[in-house]
Amino acid sequence: SRSSKEAMTLHMPCYQERENSLSLPSHLPPEFRIVSLPRELRGQNAKRKMNLLALASIVRLHKLGLLNDRLLPLSMEDMMSWLLKKTLGTIHRVTRTSSSVTYSYPLTAHLYILNQSGSGFEAERQDLLSRGARLNQFALVSLAELPEIKAQSSRHRDMGVIDFTIIRRGEVSISAQQWNEITSFYCTLFNSRWRRQKKKKKRSFQYDPRLDRCGSASPIPPYAVCLVDTLDQIDYTSMKCAVCQHAVSKGEMGSQSFPRMWSPNYNPSVSYIVYGPSGNLCRDGFPNTEYTSFLHYFSEKYGVTTLCPTSKLFVAKRVWDMPHSHSVLGPGAAEEDVAHAANLELPAEVCQESPMADPSIVLQSTLLPQFLYLVERRLTAEAFIRHCQENYEVLGECLSRAGPDSVMEVLTTKTCRMPQDYERLEWLGDAVLKLVQTDSLLQYSDTSYLHEGYLHMLRSVMGSNERLERVAEECGFNHFILSCPLNREEWRPSRLQLRKHDDSSNKALPPTP
């Protein structure tokens, strides 16, 4: 049809014999599109004039860098790439307020006492207390004051709903050595409870102190988890014992006080709480009639043939499972009936103490990664609001009115596998951004006369992923994107790094003070 033919001519060179000119494709810059012959050359025949115009066009486009490898005018896609390269080269770094902080010791740190509650959790806690266990509380110790930390709830398979709340705040003076001891315990805790055990890749978590000294792009203030006693004082003695116990080589039994954490040699990935001797021996009858004795049971079930008939048995219970993902619950989540693990009996000869042998610490760290994951998400949102308030006043004011919960949704990618992410908001934002770009192109005097095809190309370049990514990086927004899901392969707390450690010991190399 005529309309389609006219549309096609916009994307092809067009010779105008009467005007003695050649019109280049419409997607090329308008000031270069019309090539005219000088008056002294207009007396030539039509073929000669077309050749001269073609040669002049090639020379002009070559000088402007608008020819492809085949000496033809750039296509629409090539032109968009050319424009994108030009626009990326004109993006200048945005001057921002620096938030780098250097910490000098001794300093006054901020202490946040963490309380865990729930009917199932409290029942397990009272059970350990009745058996002589010493229960200390966890606390967050931060080198900078943290914003308000909201209560969080998560559901555990064995203990039901567990609520995490900050019940008290305080300040404490710490030296460089004390901060090193706190971070060593923090690393030990996550090495024993969160690090994925791999035989081929022997790596462990280590705290990176360089990020504390020089400041970093991380929006999370430097913090660690420690133990506090009943007087809300940091319990350095208990933390040192936990770190030393973690350094005990496999197979070597440490303290014989109970309750303790044991792992059977035939299944070292499973841990048990051992409460003490049961009074039975391996030669005694097994409760299940399928096996004649405990010797028979361990031999048939696990292939253990080295047990002595007079070996003592110990009452044990399988330890609470540590979930690999999160289950975020709203306030006041309903309790559910949970199945409690049954007691069993284990011989000491086929067991070794777990790297974290204190069951009270294991109990309190069961859902600790889930809590820290949610806390770091909120701290990132709070830091993003402050960053925008300091550098982009209008945006900062809008985000401040929206609040941290809404900002978390804005920053969360789909890869986090959270209930809410920014996919719907991204769809809305793309539409708003396209409207703003369209309005600016129509209002700008230098583009008011351009063909709609050229306007479309300009708008596509303005809203391209490459250009928006470059702008976001220059504005510092890339440091606040929440893209890591909660699992052992990908997530680790801020400032903990996975590094190789010495093969001669289970203990990670200590961080430098």
Side-chain angles (χ1 to χ4, degrees):
S1 64
R2 168 177 270 181
S3 60
S4 62
K5 184 177 180 179
E6 291 176 353
M8 284 291 293
T9 58
L10 295 174
H11 303 283
M12 299 174 62
C14 183
Y15 172 60
Q16 305 290 341
E17 186 175 1
R18 291 185 179 181
E19 288 79 10
N20 292 296
S21 63
L22 182 67
S23 297
L24 298 176
S26 61
H27 60 267
L28 295 173
E31 60 270 27
F32 310 133
R33 285 185 59 206
I34 305 301
V35 182
S36 300
L37 277 177
R39 289 185 179 275
E40 57 270 20
L41 297 178
R42 293 181 181 180
Q44 306 287 334
N45 59 50
K47 185 174 181 180
R48 178 68 174 172
K49 288 192 290 185
M50 289 178 63
N51 290 336
L52 290 172
L53 287 171
L55 180 60
S57 301
I58 290 176
V59 172
R60 175 181 292 184
L61 295 176
H62 176 69
K63 291 178 65 177
L64 297 171
L66 298 177
L67 281 180
N68 61 19
D69 297 338
R70 295 183 296 168
L71 298 181
L72 294 174
L74 296 180
S75 64
M76 180 76 76
E77 292 76 11
D78 294 335
M79 191 64 202
M80 289 181 63
S81 300
W82 182 82
L83 283 172
L84 180 60
K85 184 178 180 181
K86 293 292 184 182
T87 55
L88 290 179
T90 58
I91 296 177
H92 301 288
R93 178 171 293 276
V94 181
T95 302
R96 304 192 302 270
T97 302
S98 176
S99 58
S100 179
V101 179
T102 301
Y103 299 97
S104 57
Y105 299 92
L107 54 76
T108 300
H110 301 267
L111 196 65
Y112 303 85
I113 310 300
L114 177 62
N115 181 63
Q116 302 181 50
S117 60
S119 59
F121 179 87
E122 188 61 26
E124 298 288 352
R125 182 175 178 274
Q126 292 299 328
D127 182 51
L128 291 178
L129 284 173
S130 65
R131 297 176 184 272
R134 179 186 176 188
L135 294 183
N136 290 349
Q137 281 186 300
F138 279 166
L140 301 182
V141 54
S142 174
L143 301 186
E145 187 175 4
L146 302 179
E148 180 184 0
I149 301 176
K150 295 179 61 177
Q152 306 286 351
S153 298
S154 295
R155 177 171 283 116
H156 189 269
R157 185 181 67 180
D158 301 327
M159 292 180 281
V161 176
I162 300 179
D163 300 317
F164 292 81
T165 53
I166 300 297
I167 55 175
R168 289 184 298 277
R169 299 180 177 217
E171 294 182 347
V172 59
S173 177
I174 60 174
S175 63
Q177 178 62 30
Q178 290 173 328
W179 179 245
N180 194 23
E181 292 176 5
I182 292 172
T183 55
S184 295
F185 170 76
Y186 186 36
C187 294
T188 299
L189 185 64
F190 271 83
N191 281 326
S192 61
R193 297 293 292 151
W194 187 247
R195 176 175 59 91
R196 184 175 290 279
Q197 305 291 336
K198 292 184 177 181
K199 294 182 179 179
K200 294 183 178 179
K201 296 182 179 180
K202 295 184 178 182
R203 299 186 300 172
S204 61
F205 288 118
Q206 293 185 15
Y207 191 90
D208 194 343
R210 296 172 299 177
L211 302 179
D212 296 343
R213 290 198 298 266
C214 307
S216 69
S218 173
I220 310 296
Y223 78 91
V225 176
C226 67
L227 292 176
V228 293
D229 56 24
T230 55
L231 300 177
D232 291 350
Q233 300 296 316
I234 299 178
D235 192 345
Y236 292 102
T237 302
S238 297
M239 291 192 296
K240 287 180 181 178
C241 290
V243 173
C244 292
Q245 178 61 42
H246 189 265
V248 174
S249 59
K250 288 184 177 181
E252 181 180 347
M253 300 295 282
S255 170
Q256 288 299 320
S257 61
F258 296 101
R260 300 294 286 179
M261 303 296 302
W262 287 5
S263 296
N265 296 328
Y266 51 80
N267 193 2
S269 62
V270 178
S271 297
Y272 293 87
I273 309 173
V274 179
Y275 297 114
S278 66
N280 294 326
L281 302 178
C282 286
R283 66 190 178 193
D284 293 338
F286 192 76
N288 190 335
T289 56
E290 182 180 354
Y291 303 99
T292 58
S293 65
F294 285 95
L295 279 174
H296 184 210
Y297 169 76
F298 284 105
S299 175
E300 294 293 326
K301 185 77 173 179
Y302 301 108
V304 178
T305 58
T306 57
L307 287 176
C308 178
T310 58
S311 296
K312 293 182 180 180
L313 295 174
F314 295 80
V315 179
K317 181 180 73 173
R318 182 160 180 166
V319 76
W320 316 279
D321 176 55
M322 172 173 278
H324 296 178
S325 59
H326 48 72
S327 56
V328 182
L329 306 177
E335 292 280 0
E336 293 182 354
D337 293 335
V338 294
H340 296 283
N343 289 346
L344 49 87
E345 297 180 62
L346 291 175
E349 285 82 347
V350 296
C351 295
Q352 60 189 21
E353 279 201 343
S354 300
M356 183 60 69
D358 189 338
S360 64
I361 296 179
V362 174
L363 172 63
Q364 294 184 83
S365 63
T366 301
L367 287 180
L368 182 65
Q370 280 74 3
F371 172 71
L372 295 182
Y373 179 76
L374 298 177
V375 167
E376 289 198 357
R377 285 173 50 82
R378 188 172 184 87
L379 291 178
T380 302
E382 296 270 7
F384 182 64
I385 294 175
R386 291 195 303 272
H387 173 79
C388 293
Q389 287 175 331
E390 294 171 358
N391 299 281
Y392 314 102
E393 184 177 353
V394 175
L395 178 59
E397 182 180 353
C398 294
L399 295 179
S400 179
R401 290 200 301 266
D405 293 331
S406 298
V407 173
M408 273 193 289
E409 181 180 352
V410 171
L411 299 175
T412 302
T413 66
K414 192 175 183 178
T415 57
C416 285
R417 298 192 287 273
M418 295 295 287
Q420 292 180 325
D421 54 53
Y422 65 41
E423 292 294 323
R424 289 174 61 87
L425 293 175
E426 182 184 18
W427 174 78
L428 174 62
D430 288 342
V432 174
L433 184 60
K434 185 174 292 187
L435 178 62
V436 172
Q437 292 167 345
T438 302
D439 180 70
S440 63
L441 287 173
L442 293 177
Q443 296 295 330
Y444 189 46
S445 59
D446 289 350
T447 59
S448 58
Y449 60 89
L450 295 180
H451 184 269
E452 60 271 15
Y454 191 60
L455 291 173
H456 171 75
M457 184 168 53
L458 284 175
R459 188 179 64 183
S460 299
V461 171
M462 292 170 64
S464 65
N465 291 336
E466 294 87 350
R467 186 172 185 272
L468 295 179
E469 181 182 2
R470 176 74 175 276
V471 172
E473 289 177 354
E474 296 298 339
C475 294
F477 294 164
N478 56 311
H479 301 305
F480 302 93
I481 300 299
L482 301 171
S483 59
C484 187
L486 179 63
N487 60 54
R488 297 189 183 190
E489 291 289 345
E490 300 180 66
W491 180 81
R492 63 186 66 93
S494 174
R495 288 174 171 79
L496 289 192
Q497 305 293 329
L498 267 178
R499 298 175 182 170
K500 293 182 179 180
H501 66 282
D502 188 2
D503 291 337
S504 63
S505 171
N506 291 329
K507 182 180 178 181
L509 296 177
T512 56

